[in-house]
Amino acid sequence: MTYCVAVRVDEGLVFVSDSRTNAGIDRLSTYSKMFTFGTDGERSFVVLTAGNLATTQSVISQIKRDIKQNNVPNLMTVENMTEAAEYVGQLSASQQQKHSTAVAGGGFDASASFILGGQISGGSHRVFMIYPQGNFITATAENPYQQIGEIKYGKPVLDRIITRDTRLEEATLAALVSMDSTMRSNATVGPPLDVLIYAKDSLSLNRHFILQADDPYLLEIKAAWDEKLKEAFAELRRVNWNEPTSVSVVTEE
Amino acid sequence: MTYCVAVRVDEGLVFVSDSRTNAGIDRLSTYSKMFTFGTDGERSFVVLTAGNLATTQSVISQIKRDIKQNNVPNLMTVENMTEAAEYVGQLSASQQQKHSTAVAGGGFDASASFILGGQISGGSHRVFMIYPQGNFITATAENPYQQIGEIKYGKPVLDRIITRDTRLEEATLAALVSMDSTMRSNATVGPPLDVLIYAKDSLSLNRHFILQADDPYLLEIKAAWDEKLKEAFAELRRVNWNEPTSVSVVTEE
């Protein structure tokens, strides 16, 4: 499985993805799920992938091939971010279609989801979540992040911390904590982690970091968050559940 | 949707369930998902339900009918908790079978899951999670809780707090916080909440509380947990992501 999250705040974009892939329990491997495309100063794209590995790999290959062979459209020729999302959505839908018809039935699932984020010079920085069907939604002020894969474990912390005016570095930390909660509760999500921080209008993808499982900062955040959550829990007020009236509850029997 | 959690610690059992039910967006209603059966001093059972409401209601009705009509087996005659779990699992599987064959296809899903917990005099207190297929697993020292419904949002906090020697009141608070995280991130889970605290060997179900949406203690926990999580987050060490070497990460490009 997978967990990828992209946050869009006023200051820019943050992307965090895990890299554990399993196709059956004896094919547990590590694949990066973060791919970057662009030309410094002109356009920057980040693609995160979840779902069938054959599908996502073939989509990424096709994106590269289209650029190299100057096929139209490709990520270097699209005029805006929405067009880029449409392009990736169409590639994804057609790759899934191809693989699904080749092997019909048998519980085979070729579906894949993508997050596409970035900026084209002259436009604003945006994030899209692309469904297996190829259609997509975008991150907005009210929904400043998008997730794919195992999205639920890490959602509560994002809901509490992220708003559109959250600072870029804060958003990065929130995404890391969200990833940590997911890794804690789901063994199929794991390091190394890809982290990419994109400052609005920088049109540069040079802040792409890879955190290994033994990265000191990752270990520190993991331990500190665990400890602080336990402290927070210890500080909550306890009530005496033998005296229900003290908590204004009603005994049923 | 639904979220129900049952915790088994050395001191006893805790059950927390929400009560929001939706069968289509215009049939949003409130149904309790916690049902109790037993004879004080002899046997105590708590059943939590998730899934198709018609299935869960018919299972609960049948449990009551079997007791009233002295059908064998019933919850008042089973000799141990495992037998009780087998009985509920069989009822569930047969009710689903009945409804599934009546209306074939059409995306109709009659499936339901149950948590059964309790104690029979002379035996130990136990918790079972009963799958839609009717088979079941039990809470153990390594896995001291069971969940059904929207289980993922509220799992991280349980994983951090609950062990088998957690005090009963602490486990209650942890289950409430787990429920709060779920309600925060998923609109289909909501109050009133059923809370039942069962002290080992008490063989009594009299600590069953219903917390309404405006319950002062519930509101206090919700606000305090939100505030303390934000404080905990604020206390995490920030790093300068412009200087990757300071966090021992590798720049890819």
Side-chain angles (χ1 to χ4, degrees):
Chain A
M1 286 297 295
T2 293
Y3 178 48
C4 301
V5 55
V7 182
R8 182 195 183 279
V9 291
D10 288 342
E11 289 189 353
L13 308 170
V14 174
F15 304 85
V16 176
S17 60
D18 87 311
S19 58
R20 192 161 296 176
T21 305
N22 69 326
I25 50 167
D26 50 356
R27 296 268 296 177
L28 196 68
S29 338
T30 295
Y31 289 94
S32 172
K33 297 158 190 172
M34 184 183 290
F35 304 88
T36 57
F37 306 92
T39 309
D40 277 5
E42 195 196 304
R43 56 182 64 212
S44 300
F45 297 103
V46 179
V47 179
L48 309 179
T49 67
N52 185 290
L53 186 61
T55 299
T56 60
Q57 286 190 347
S58 64
V59 169
I60 297 298
S61 299
Q62 190 63 45
I63 291 176
K64 291 177 181 166
R65 206 154 43 231
D66 284 344
I67 293 172
K68 194 178 272 178
Q69 302 177 348
N70 288 312
N71 299 335
V72 174
N74 72 57
L75 284 183
M76 297 305 152
T77 63
V78 293
E79 295 192 354
N80 53 57
M81 288 301 298
T82 306
E83 215 176 282
E86 267 165 17
Y87 162 71
V88 175
Q90 278 164 15
L91 282 189
S92 169
S94 69
Q95 290 297 332
Q96 289 174 59
Q97 186 63 33
K98 202 163 89 182
H99 294 120
S100 298
T101 48
V103 188
F108 172 73
D109 183 5
S111 74
S113 307
F114 296 83
I115 286 175
L116 171 74
Q119 186 175 21
I120 295 176
S121 178
S124 60
H125 58 299
R126 300 189 69 181
V127 166
F128 297 89
M129 196 274 275
I130 302 168
Y131 290 104
Q133 289 74 14
N135 55 347
F136 49 84
I137 56 175
T138 186
T140 60
E142 296 75 33
N143 296 290
Y145 62 86
Q146 296 289 346
Q147 306 165 292
I148 52 177
E150 282 287 351
I151 67 174
K152 295 184 181 182
Y153 306 104
K155 187 171 186 291
V157 65
L158 296 175
D159 285 338
R160 290 180 203 273
I161 304 290
I162 306 272
T163 60
R164 61 177 295 172
D165 53 2
T166 302
R167 302 295 306 269
L168 197 51
E169 266 71 17
E170 297 290 293
T172 306
L173 187 52
L176 271 186
V177 170
S178 172
M179 178 61 80
D180 174 60
S181 292
T182 309
M183 293 192 295
R184 179 86 172 70
S185 285
N186 190 307
T188 68
V189 176
L193 306 181
D194 280 89
V195 177
L196 194 144
I197 306 173
Y198 174 80
K200 174 189 172 184
D201 298 335
S202 67
L203 296 168
S204 157
L205 296 164
N206 66 355
R207 288 205 286 169
H208 182 175
F209 310 101
I210 297 170
L211 279 64
Q212 302 294 335
D214 61 351
D215 179 85
Y217 185 59
L218 193 60
L219 293 176
E220 177 190 326
I221 292 294
K222 181 187 167 77
W225 184 242
D226 189 58
E227 185 191 330
K228 284 175 201 303
L229 274 197
K230 284 173 181 162
E231 281 172 18
F233 183 77
E235 286 165 13
L236 292 175
R237 187 169 71 87
R238 271 66 177 160
V239 288
N240 183 349
W241 289 92
N242 291 311
E243 296 170 17
T245 51
S246 72
V247 288
S248 103
V249 294
V250 186
T251 320
E252 205 181 42
E253 301 179 309
Chain B
M1 286 297 293
T2 293
Y3 177 48
C4 301
V5 55
V7 182
R8 183 195 182 281
V9 291
D10 287 343
E11 289 189 352
L13 308 170
V14 173
F15 305 86
V16 177
S17 60
D18 88 310
S19 57
R20 191 160 296 175
T21 305
N22 70 326
I25 50 167
D26 50 356
R27 298 266 296 175
L28 195 69
S29 339
T30 293
Y31 288 94
S32 172
K33 296 157 191 172
M34 184 183 290
F35 303 89
T36 58
F37 305 92
T39 308
D40 277 5
E42 195 196 303
R43 55 182 66 211
S44 300
F45 298 103
V46 179
V47 178
L48 308 179
T49 67
N52 185 289
L53 186 60
T55 299
T56 60
Q57 285 189 347
S58 65
V59 169
I60 297 298
S61 299
Q62 190 63 44
I63 292 176
K64 291 178 182 165
R65 206 153 45 231
D66 283 345
I67 294 173
K68 194 177 274 179
Q69 301 177 349
N70 288 313
N71 299 334
V72 174
N74 73 58
L75 285 183
M76 296 305 152
T77 63
V78 292
E79 295 193 355
N80 53 58
M81 288 301 298
T82 306
E83 214 176 284
E86 266 165 18
Y87 162 71
V88 175
Q90 278 165 15
L91 281 190
S92 170
S94 70
Q95 289 297 332
Q96 291 173 57
Q97 186 63 33
K98 201 164 88 180
H99 294 121
S100 298
T101 48
V103 188
F108 172 73
D109 183 6
S111 75
S113 305
F114 297 83
I115 286 175
L116 171 73
Q119 187 174 19
I120 296 175
S121 178
S124 60
H125 58 299
R126 300 190 69 181
V127 166
F128 297 89
M129 197 274 276
I130 302 168
Y131 290 104
Q133 289 74 14
N135 55 347
F136 49 84
I137 56 174
T138 186
T140 60
E142 296 75 34
N143 295 291
Y145 61 87
Q146 295 291 347
Q147 305 166 292
I148 52 176
E150 282 287 352
I151 67 175
K152 295 184 180 181
Y153 305 103
K155 187 170 185 292
V157 65
L158 296 174
D159 285 337
R160 291 180 202 274
I161 304 290
I162 306 273
T163 60
R164 61 178 293 174
D165 53 2
T166 303
R167 303 296 305 269
L168 197 52
E169 267 71 18
E170 296 290 292
T172 306
L173 187 52
L176 272 186
V177 170
S178 172
M179 178 61 80
D180 175 60
S181 293
T182 308
M183 293 193 293
R184 179 85 172 72
S185 286
N186 189 308
T188 69
V189 176
L193 306 182
D194 280 90
V195 176
L196 195 144
I197 306 172
Y198 174 81
K200 174 190 174 185
D201 298 334
S202 67
L203 296 167
S204 156
L205 296 163
N206 66 354
R207 287 205 286 168
H208 182 175
F209 310 102
I210 297 170
L211 278 64
Q212 301 293 335
D214 62 351
D215 179 84
Y217 184 59
L218 193 60
L219 294 177
E220 176 190 325
I221 292 295
K222 180 188 168 75
W225 184 243
D226 189 58
E227 185 191 330
K228 283 174 200 306
L229 274 197
K230 285 173 182 161
E231 282 172 19
F233 183 77
E235 286 165 13
L236 292 176
R237 186 169 72 88
R238 272 64 179 161
V239 288
N240 183 350
W241 288 93
N242 290 313
E243 297 169 17
T245 50
S246 71
V247 289
S248 103
V249 295
V250 186
T251 320
E252 204 180 42
E253 299 178 309

